[in-house]
């Protein structure tokens, strides 16, 4: 994926703490603690890897639907938080040449599809909030 003609790659710079939940679930859900917040998400790592710190890749299986689940943020700071069964990502939105988008949240680059073919003027580079269903957010641990 390219943004402004440059390839977008996650450099693995985001370290999170992965905690087991009090009640085991299938698929496995974990609490992820990062520098910008905490959320319960789906875990794609080995069960024995829970309870440690990991570099992770975030996968969100829900597109950005402007004014449906995404809108401008009045706060210019990254955040990760829960609101009921929704995960809220706040970060800087960058539009990609291929029609997708990248949301930078505290050093993590999260790729999104766009549910609409176009977004409002001026949204590229702005601070936005994206609300997605908790069961559509997955973290994948990896080694650097």
């Amino acid at each position: 994926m390219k943004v402004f003609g440059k390839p977008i790659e996650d450099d693995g710079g985001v370290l999170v703490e992965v905690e087991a939940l009090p009640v085991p679930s299938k698929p496995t859900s974990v609490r992820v603690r990062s520098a910008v917040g905490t959320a319960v998400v789906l875990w794609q790592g080995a069960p024995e890897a829970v309870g440690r710190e990991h570099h992770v890749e975030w996968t969100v299986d829900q597109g950005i639907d402007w004014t449906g689940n995404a809108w401008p943020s009045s706060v210019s700071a990254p955040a990760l938080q829960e609101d009921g069964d929704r995960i809220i990502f706040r970060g800087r939105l960058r539009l990609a040449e291929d029609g997708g988008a990248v949301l930078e949240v505290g050093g993590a680059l999260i790729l999104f599809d766009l549910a609409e073919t176009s977004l409002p003027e001026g949204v590229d580079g702005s601070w936005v909030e994206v609300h997605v269903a908790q069961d559509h957010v997955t973290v994948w641990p990896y080694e650097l």
Side-chain angles (χ1 to χ4, degrees):
M1 173 177 286
K2 292 186 176 185
V3 176
F4 301 121
K6 297 179 183 174
I8 293 294
E9 298 175 12
D10 191 340
D11 65 3
V14 179
L15 187 65
V16 299
E17 182 181 335
V18 178
E19 298 176 357
L21 295 179
V23 179
S25 62
K26 292 289 182 187
T28 303
S29 293
V30 295
R31 178 165 308 281
V32 174
R33 295 186 184 281
S34 74
V36 296
T38 301
V40 173
V41 299
L42 299 174
W43 174 248
Q44 291 298 320
E48 60 273 10
V50 173
R52 295 187 272 175
E53 289 185 335
H54 296 279
H55 288 92
V56 296
E57 178 179 325
W58 294 84
T59 302
V60 178
D61 185 24
Q62 188 174 350
I64 291 178
D65 176 15
W66 197 251
T67 70
N69 72 344
W71 42 84
S73 175
S74 60
V75 178
S76 299
L80 168 68
Q81 61 191 62
E82 295 177 71
D83 183 16
D85 64 349
R86 315 283 291 170
I87 303 294
I88 302 170
F89 295 99
R90 185 172 58 229
R92 262 193 206 271
L93 186 67
R94 300 287 182 195
L95 301 181
E97 293 172 356
D98 69 357
V102 176
L103 188 67
E104 182 181 355
V105 181
L109 301 177
I110 305 170
L111 305 177
F112 281 90
D113 289 327
L114 298 178
E116 304 171 24
T117 56
S118 65
L119 295 177
E121 285 282 322
V123 74
D124 189 35
S126 67
W127 287 92
V128 301
E129 283 190 7
V130 181
H131 296 228
V132 295
Q134 187 176 43
D135 60 352
H136 287 263
V137 181
T138 306
V139 292
W140 303 75
Y142 62 91
E143 299 290 324
L144 291 180

